[in-house]
Amino acid sequence: MSVDLPVSSPTWVSAFLDLAAEELERGSAFWAQVTGTTLSAVRGAQHEFTTLVPTDGDDHLRIQRRDAGGSRVHLDLHVPDQAAAAAYAVELGAEVVRPEEREDGFVVLVSPGGLSFCFVGQRATTRSRPTSWPAGHRSRVDQVSIDAPGRLLAAELAFWRDLTGWRLRRTAYPEFHQLEVPSSQPLQVLLQRLDDDATEVSVHLDLTTDDVGAELERHVALGARVLASHDHWTVLADPGGLRYCVAGDPPDHDVPA
């Protein structure tokens, strides 16, 4: 039975690395090397955007120079009608920060918990394959984690469930919920309860690999730092301090053949 999805349900999800201006060159080189992608030509009215172009498929990782504030990650939700999607998001509790403008065609919003995200109109349909490395293993950025302090979690869970129209389920870990993302999407979406006193919601990237040891060795050689190790994942920071995780899962377990 088909399910009617809201106008804000994305056909594609991209992650944007918003790198502080002083970290842009170093951070761009690091993420291109870590992901096995190629940096596109710079674009944008202020020459602020680049894309991490995969060897196959459509891109789902992009970089933006951030002229004020530290580095962070935000999400781009690709939808057919950005204005209609934004209007629905506002009904759910979002706030529009920058309305759609004809020349750029995107809307900037913040979620109820203060997470920045955009509705964009670019079309993409084909997922890229994991990158194979000389050591014989593979890896891929295939998930974003929306990290919410406990007091903001319930509102954020409801918001992202209703905004995307995707079912929300609990995981084996009590602090995590997972959106049931369609298999055509390039990124899984996890929502995590933070046990700290963060003032607003944030996002980090997760990579999966079939050889955690080899992948961590590669990241550290490129300038990353290991911050914490858990049973199933390792927390790292890129050369500029932006946090992300590496998990031990086959990186193509949900990629269509």
Side-chain angles (χ1 to χ4, degrees):
M1 183 175 66
S2 62
V3 176
D4 291 332
L5 295 173
V7 294
S8 53
S9 185
T11 59
W12 193 258
V13 177
S14 297
F16 245 108
L17 290 150
D18 300 332
L19 300 180
E22 63 272 18
E23 296 295 336
L24 181 65
E25 182 176 358
R26 180 172 61 164
S28 297
F30 172 82
W31 283 101
Q33 291 173 299
V34 157
T35 57
T37 54
T38 302
L39 288 169
S40 73
V42 177
R43 66 185 185 279
Q46 306 299 322
H47 305 288
E48 70 272 43
F49 300 128
T50 54
T51 296
L52 292 167
V53 182
T55 56
D56 67 339
D58 294 317
D59 71 85
H60 65 282
L61 299 172
R62 300 177 180 184
I63 293 172
Q64 176 176 219
R65 184 188 70 243
R66 194 176 189 208
D67 293 325
S71 297
R72 65 178 188 182
V73 177
H74 83 261
L75 302 180
D76 273 8
L77 307 184
H78 299 230
V79 295
D81 188 333
Q82 297 92 278
Y88 183 64
V90 169
E91 291 181 21
L92 296 177
E95 178 183 350
V96 173
V97 175
R98 178 180 172 184
E100 181 182 9
E101 297 177 5
R102 182 170 298 176
E103 61 269 22
D104 53 38
F106 63 86
V107 186
V108 183
L109 307 95
V110 292
S111 74
L115 177 62
S116 180
F117 69 99
C118 299
F119 286 120
V120 302
Q122 296 97 329
R123 291 182 57 82
T125 59
T126 305
R127 295 179 61 180
S128 59
R129 296 285 175 178
T131 301
S132 296
W133 301 104
H137 73 289
R138 297 165 301 152
S139 66
R140 186 177 187 273
V141 176
D142 72 349
Q143 182 169 266
V144 291
S145 177
I146 298 173
D147 304 326
R151 62 185 179 81
L152 299 176
L153 180 63
E156 209 69 10
L157 289 172
F159 175 77
W160 289 100
R161 178 199 63 206
D162 296 344
L163 187 75
T164 61
W166 300 334
R167 291 182 60 184
L168 187 70
R169 62 176 175 83
R170 293 182 179 273
T171 73
Y173 298 90
E175 69 269 34
F176 296 129
H177 288 73
Q178 189 92 44
L179 285 174
E180 295 185 355
V181 174
S183 61
S184 57
Q185 289 285 344
L187 291 168
Q188 301 298 304
V189 180
L190 188 72
L191 291 105
Q192 177 181 200
R193 184 193 70 241
L194 298 180
D195 292 325
D196 60 26
D197 56 356
T199 58
E200 60 186 25
V201 179
S202 59
V203 172
H204 75 260
L205 300 181
D206 290 337
L207 293 89
T208 54
T209 179
D210 49 16
D211 188 331
V212 173
E215 184 70 0
L216 292 179
E217 183 177 346
R218 195 175 65 83
H219 286 231
V220 170
L222 291 170
R225 293 178 293 116
V226 173
L227 302 179
S229 296
H230 301 276
D231 290 342
H232 190 62
W233 67 93
T234 301
V235 183
L236 300 98
D238 76 2
L242 188 64
R243 295 190 177 202
Y244 66 98
C245 293
V246 171
D249 285 318
D252 56 357
H253 71 282
D254 59 351
V255 177

mmCIF file of all heavy atoms in Angstrom, residues 12-17 31 35 37 43 50-54 58-63 140-144 187 205:
data_model
loop_
_atom_site.group_PDB
_atom_site.id
_atom_site.type_symbol
_atom_site.label_atom_id
_atom_site.label_comp_id
_atom_site.label_asym_id
_atom_site.label_seq_id
_atom_site.Cartn_x
_atom_site.Cartn_y
_atom_site.Cartn_z
ATOM 1 N N TRP A 12 16.463 13.220 -2.051
ATOM 2 C CA TRP A 12 17.909 13.023 -1.890
ATOM 3 C C TRP A 12 18.331 13.842 -0.681
ATOM 4 O O TRP A 12 17.759 14.906 -0.412
ATOM 5 C CB TRP A 12 18.636 13.521 -3.137
ATOM 6 C CG TRP A 12 20.083 13.134 -3.289
ATOM 7 C CD1 TRP A 12 21.170 13.928 -3.042
ATOM 8 C CD2 TRP A 12 20.601 11.897 -3.782
ATOM 9 N NE1 TRP A 12 22.330 13.247 -3.347
ATOM 10 C CE2 TRP A 12 22.015 12.002 -3.802
ATOM 11 C CE3 TRP A 12 20.010 10.702 -4.203
ATOM 12 C CZ2 TRP A 12 22.843 10.956 -4.226
ATOM 13 C CZ3 TRP A 12 20.826 9.664 -4.620
ATOM 14 C CH2 TRP A 12 22.222 9.803 -4.635
ATOM 15 N N VAL A 13 19.289 13.350 0.066
ATOM 16 C CA VAL A 13 19.844 14.087 1.206
ATOM 17 C C VAL A 13 21.340 14.256 0.995
ATOM 18 O O VAL A 13 22.048 13.280 0.737
ATOM 19 C CB VAL A 13 19.585 13.361 2.542
ATOM 20 C CG1 VAL A 13 20.241 14.122 3.693
ATOM 21 C CG2 VAL A 13 18.097 13.206 2.801
ATOM 22 N N SER A 14 21.811 15.498 1.083
ATOM 23 C CA SER A 14 23.243 15.791 1.011
ATOM 24 C C SER A 14 23.702 16.346 2.349
ATOM 25 O O SER A 14 22.922 16.984 3.065
ATOM 26 C CB SER A 14 23.544 16.831 -0.074
ATOM 27 O OG SER A 14 23.208 16.350 -1.348
ATOM 28 N N ALA A 15 24.963 16.120 2.669
ATOM 29 C CA ALA A 15 25.572 16.711 3.862
ATOM 30 C C ALA A 15 26.566 17.775 3.428
ATOM 31 O O ALA A 15 27.359 17.558 2.512
ATOM 32 C CB ALA A 15 26.276 15.642 4.693
ATOM 33 N N PHE A 16 26.499 18.923 4.080
ATOM 34 C CA PHE A 16 27.401 20.036 3.807
ATOM 35 C C PHE A 16 28.371 20.185 4.964
ATOM 36 O O PHE A 16 27.965 20.336 6.114
ATOM 37 C CB PHE A 16 26.613 21.337 3.647
ATOM 38 C CG PHE A 16 26.672 21.937 2.276
ATOM 39 C CD1 PHE A 16 25.572 21.904 1.443
ATOM 40 C CD2 PHE A 16 27.828 22.543 1.813
ATOM 41 C CE1 PHE A 16 25.606 22.461 0.182
ATOM 42 C CE2 PHE A 16 27.881 23.118 0.560
ATOM 43 C CZ PHE A 16 26.766 23.075 -0.273
ATOM 44 N N LEU A 17 29.662 20.133 4.662
ATOM 45 C CA LEU A 17 30.698 20.458 5.636
ATOM 46 C C LEU A 17 30.907 21.966 5.587
ATOM 47 O O LEU A 17 31.447 22.494 4.606
ATOM 48 C CB LEU A 17 31.991 19.721 5.290
ATOM 49 C CG LEU A 17 31.962 18.206 5.499
ATOM 50 C CD1 LEU A 17 32.877 17.519 4.510
ATOM 51 C CD2 LEU A 17 32.356 17.864 6.926
ATOM 52 N N TRP A 31 39.063 15.991 3.613
ATOM 53 C CA TRP A 31 37.836 15.260 3.328
ATOM 54 C C TRP A 31 37.838 14.665 1.927
ATOM 55 O O TRP A 31 37.267 13.601 1.702
ATOM 56 C CB TRP A 31 36.625 16.146 3.592
ATOM 57 C CG TRP A 31 36.358 16.251 5.061
ATOM 58 C CD1 TRP A 31 36.685 17.279 5.895
ATOM 59 C CD2 TRP A 31 35.770 15.238 5.875
ATOM 60 N NE1 TRP A 31 36.331 16.971 7.187
ATOM 61 C CE2 TRP A 31 35.766 15.730 7.202
ATOM 62 C CE3 TRP A 31 35.245 13.978 5.622
ATOM 63 C CZ2 TRP A 31 35.245 14.990 8.263
ATOM 64 C CZ3 TRP A 31 34.724 13.242 6.671
ATOM 65 C CH2 TRP A 31 34.732 13.752 7.983
ATOM 66 N N THR A 35 37.538 10.553 1.712
ATOM 67 C CA THR A 35 36.398 9.967 1.000
ATOM 68 C C THR A 35 36.756 9.436 -0.382
ATOM 69 O O THR A 35 35.917 8.796 -1.025
ATOM 70 C CB THR A 35 35.279 11.011 0.853
ATOM 71 O OG1 THR A 35 35.791 12.172 0.174
ATOM 72 C CG2 THR A 35 34.735 11.425 2.217
ATOM 73 N N THR A 37 37.282 11.238 -3.044
ATOM 74 C CA THR A 37 36.560 12.049 -4.015
ATOM 75 C C THR A 37 37.485 13.127 -4.579
ATOM 76 O O THR A 37 38.612 13.307 -4.124
ATOM 77 C CB THR A 37 35.330 12.718 -3.364
ATOM 78 O OG1 THR A 37 35.758 13.448 -2.198
ATOM 79 C CG2 THR A 37 34.295 11.684 -2.949
ATOM 80 N N ARG A 43 32.309 27.436 -6.674
ATOM 81 C CA ARG A 43 31.146 28.107 -7.257
ATOM 82 C C ARG A 43 30.462 28.933 -6.173
ATOM 83 O O ARG A 43 30.860 28.903 -5.005
ATOM 84 C CB ARG A 43 30.177 27.093 -7.854
ATOM 85 C CG ARG A 43 29.527 26.174 -6.829
ATOM 86 C CD ARG A 43 28.672 25.102 -7.471
ATOM 87 N NE ARG A 43 27.971 24.316 -6.454
ATOM 88 C CZ ARG A 43 28.514 23.330 -5.773
ATOM 89 N NH1 ARG A 43 29.780 23.003 -5.982
ATOM 90 N NH2 ARG A 43 27.808 22.676 -4.859
ATOM 91 N N THR A 50 32.047 24.150 -2.818
ATOM 92 C CA THR A 50 32.668 23.118 -3.641
ATOM 93 C C THR A 50 31.934 21.801 -3.371
ATOM 94 O O THR A 50 31.241 21.658 -2.361
ATOM 95 C CB THR A 50 34.168 22.932 -3.343
ATOM 96 O OG1 THR A 50 34.338 22.696 -1.936
ATOM 97 C CG2 THR A 50 34.980 24.126 -3.769
ATOM 98 N N THR A 51 32.123 20.853 -4.289
ATOM 99 C CA THR A 51 31.496 19.537 -4.163
ATOM 100 C C THR A 51 32.572 18.468 -4.100
ATOM 101 O O THR A 51 33.587 18.561 -4.790
ATOM 102 C CB THR A 51 30.557 19.270 -5.360
ATOM 103 O OG1 THR A 51 29.490 20.222 -5.337
ATOM 104 C CG2 THR A 51 29.967 17.871 -5.303
ATOM 105 N N LEU A 52 32.353 17.460 -3.259
ATOM 106 C CA LEU A 52 33.216 16.279 -3.223
ATOM 107 C C LEU A 52 32.645 15.295 -4.239
ATOM 108 O O LEU A 52 31.635 14.629 -3.979
ATOM 109 C CB LEU A 52 33.255 15.689 -1.820
ATOM 110 C CG LEU A 52 33.961 16.575 -0.775
ATOM 111 C CD1 LEU A 52 33.677 16.078 0.641
ATOM 112 C CD2 LEU A 52 35.455 16.630 -1.024
ATOM 113 N N VAL A 53 33.255 15.217 -5.403
ATOM 114 C CA VAL A 53 32.723 14.470 -6.539
ATOM 115 C C VAL A 53 33.195 13.023 -6.473
ATOM 116 O O VAL A 53 34.405 12.756 -6.504
ATOM 117 C CB VAL A 53 33.165 15.105 -7.872
ATOM 118 C CG1 VAL A 53 32.557 14.342 -9.048
ATOM 119 C CG2 VAL A 53 32.768 16.580 -7.925
ATOM 120 N N PRO A 54 32.269 12.059 -6.398
ATOM 121 C CA PRO A 54 32.674 10.644 -6.339
ATOM 122 C C PRO A 54 33.087 10.135 -7.715
ATOM 123 O O PRO A 54 32.830 10.772 -8.742
ATOM 124 C CB PRO A 54 31.406 9.944 -5.848
ATOM 125 C CG PRO A 54 30.289 10.808 -6.363
ATOM 126 C CD PRO A 54 30.814 12.230 -6.312
ATOM 127 N N ASP A 58 25.949 10.013 -8.120
ATOM 128 C CA ASP A 58 25.749 11.428 -7.825
ATOM 129 C C ASP A 58 26.361 11.784 -6.470
ATOM 130 O O ASP A 58 26.423 10.947 -5.564
ATOM 131 C CB ASP A 58 24.249 11.764 -7.816
ATOM 132 C CG ASP A 58 23.615 11.608 -9.185
ATOM 133 O OD1 ASP A 58 24.240 12.046 -10.166
ATOM 134 O OD2 ASP A 58 22.502 11.053 -9.265
ATOM 135 N N ASP A 59 26.782 13.026 -6.331
ATOM 136 C CA ASP A 59 27.422 13.444 -5.088
ATOM 137 C C ASP A 59 26.408 13.575 -3.955
ATOM 138 O O ASP A 59 25.223 13.827 -4.179
ATOM 139 C CB ASP A 59 28.155 14.777 -5.289
ATOM 140 C CG ASP A 59 27.204 15.947 -5.456
ATOM 141 O OD1 ASP A 59 26.763 16.518 -4.446
ATOM 142 O OD2 ASP A 59 26.878 16.276 -6.622
ATOM 143 N N HIS A 60 26.895 13.408 -2.727
ATOM 144 C CA HIS A 60 26.060 13.664 -1.546
ATOM 145 C C HIS A 60 26.859 14.365 -0.440
ATOM 146 O O HIS A 60 26.369 14.504 0.676
ATOM 147 C CB HIS A 60 25.435 12.373 -1.010
ATOM 148 C CG HIS A 60 26.412 11.369 -0.484
ATOM 149 N ND1 HIS A 60 27.167 10.560 -1.292
ATOM 150 C CD2 HIS A 60 26.766 11.046 0.781
ATOM 151 C CE1 HIS A 60 27.930 9.779 -0.557
ATOM 152 N NE2 HIS A 60 27.711 10.055 0.729
ATOM 153 N N LEU A 61 28.064 14.820 -0.773
ATOM 154 C CA LEU A 61 28.908 15.538 0.184
ATOM 155 C C LEU A 61 29.410 16.826 -0.462
ATOM 156 O O LEU A 61 29.962 16.786 -1.570
ATOM 157 C CB LEU A 61 30.105 14.676 0.607
ATOM 158 C CG LEU A 61 29.791 13.360 1.310
ATOM 159 C CD1 LEU A 61 31.065 12.548 1.483
ATOM 160 C CD2 LEU A 61 29.129 13.618 2.659
ATOM 161 N N ARG A 62 29.240 17.932 0.237
ATOM 162 C CA ARG A 62 29.635 19.225 -0.291
ATOM 163 C C ARG A 62 30.329 20.028 0.804
ATOM 164 O O ARG A 62 30.244 19.692 1.986
ATOM 165 C CB ARG A 62 28.415 19.979 -0.836
ATOM 166 C CG ARG A 62 27.726 19.200 -1.955
ATOM 167 C CD ARG A 62 26.476 19.861 -2.470
ATOM 168 N NE ARG A 62 25.884 19.040 -3.530
ATOM 169 C CZ ARG A 62 24.819 19.393 -4.227
ATOM 170 N NH1 ARG A 62 24.212 20.546 -3.976
ATOM 171 N NH2 ARG A 62 24.349 18.589 -5.173
ATOM 172 N N ILE A 63 31.015 21.091 0.392
ATOM 173 C CA ILE A 63 31.770 21.922 1.327
ATOM 174 C C ILE A 63 31.377 23.384 1.113
ATOM 175 O O ILE A 63 31.191 23.825 -0.019
ATOM 176 C CB ILE A 63 33.290 21.744 1.128
ATOM 177 C CG1 ILE A 63 33.721 20.322 1.531
ATOM 178 C CG2 ILE A 63 34.084 22.782 1.934
ATOM 179 C CD1 ILE A 63 35.160 19.994 1.204
ATOM 180 N N ARG A 140 32.969 4.340 3.253
ATOM 181 C CA ARG A 140 32.018 5.266 2.644
ATOM 182 C C ARG A 140 31.373 6.118 3.731
ATOM 183 O O ARG A 140 31.074 5.624 4.812
ATOM 184 C CB ARG A 140 30.927 4.487 1.899
ATOM 185 C CG ARG A 140 29.940 5.327 1.093
ATOM 186 C CD ARG A 140 28.969 4.419 0.343
ATOM 187 N NE ARG A 140 28.126 5.162 -0.566
ATOM 188 C CZ ARG A 140 26.974 5.739 -0.221
ATOM 189 N NH1 ARG A 140 26.535 5.616 1.029
ATOM 190 N NH2 ARG A 140 26.271 6.416 -1.097
ATOM 191 N N VAL A 141 31.158 7.402 3.465
ATOM 192 C CA VAL A 141 30.307 8.222 4.330
ATOM 193 C C VAL A 141 28.875 7.873 3.978
ATOM 194 O O VAL A 141 28.400 8.192 2.882
ATOM 195 C CB VAL A 141 30.555 9.728 4.121
ATOM 196 C CG1 VAL A 141 29.574 10.545 4.963
ATOM 197 C CG2 VAL A 141 31.990 10.104 4.491
ATOM 198 N N ASP A 142 28.171 7.191 4.881
ATOM 199 C CA ASP A 142 26.819 6.751 4.521
ATOM 200 C C ASP A 142 25.772 7.072 5.584
ATOM 201 O O ASP A 142 24.649 6.582 5.506
ATOM 202 C CB ASP A 142 26.813 5.255 4.203
ATOM 203 C CG ASP A 142 26.978 4.372 5.431
ATOM 204 O OD1 ASP A 142 27.303 4.891 6.513
ATOM 205 O OD2 ASP A 142 26.776 3.151 5.305
ATOM 206 N N GLN A 143 26.116 7.919 6.546
ATOM 207 C CA GLN A 143 25.135 8.268 7.573
ATOM 208 C C GLN A 143 25.420 9.639 8.154
ATOM 209 O O GLN A 143 26.583 10.051 8.254
ATOM 210 C CB GLN A 143 25.162 7.227 8.698
ATOM 211 C CG GLN A 143 24.135 7.465 9.804
ATOM 212 C CD GLN A 143 24.021 6.278 10.726
ATOM 213 O OE1 GLN A 143 23.176 5.412 10.558
ATOM 214 N NE2 GLN A 143 24.884 6.235 11.736
ATOM 215 N N VAL A 144 24.345 10.331 8.518
ATOM 216 C CA VAL A 144 24.465 11.543 9.321
ATOM 217 C C VAL A 144 23.782 11.278 10.656
ATOM 218 O O VAL A 144 22.771 10.578 10.723
ATOM 219 C CB VAL A 144 23.828 12.770 8.638
ATOM 220 C CG1 VAL A 144 24.639 13.188 7.423
ATOM 221 C CG2 VAL A 144 22.373 12.523 8.253
ATOM 222 N N LEU A 187 22.319 8.621 2.215
ATOM 223 C CA LEU A 187 22.688 8.749 3.625
ATOM 224 C C LEU A 187 21.585 8.186 4.521
ATOM 225 O O LEU A 187 20.402 8.508 4.342
ATOM 226 C CB LEU A 187 22.907 10.226 3.991
ATOM 227 C CG LEU A 187 24.132 10.906 3.376
ATOM 228 C CD1 LEU A 187 24.050 12.413 3.592
ATOM 229 C CD2 LEU A 187 25.424 10.355 3.986
ATOM 230 N N LEU A 205 29.071 13.440 10.767
ATOM 231 C CA LEU A 205 29.110 12.416 9.737
ATOM 232 C C LEU A 205 29.591 11.089 10.317
ATOM 233 O O LEU A 205 30.416 11.055 11.227
ATOM 234 C CB LEU A 205 30.058 12.820 8.603
ATOM 235 C CG LEU A 205 29.744 14.111 7.843
ATOM 236 C CD1 LEU A 205 30.784 14.323 6.745
ATOM 237 C CD2 LEU A 205 28.344 14.069 7.253
#
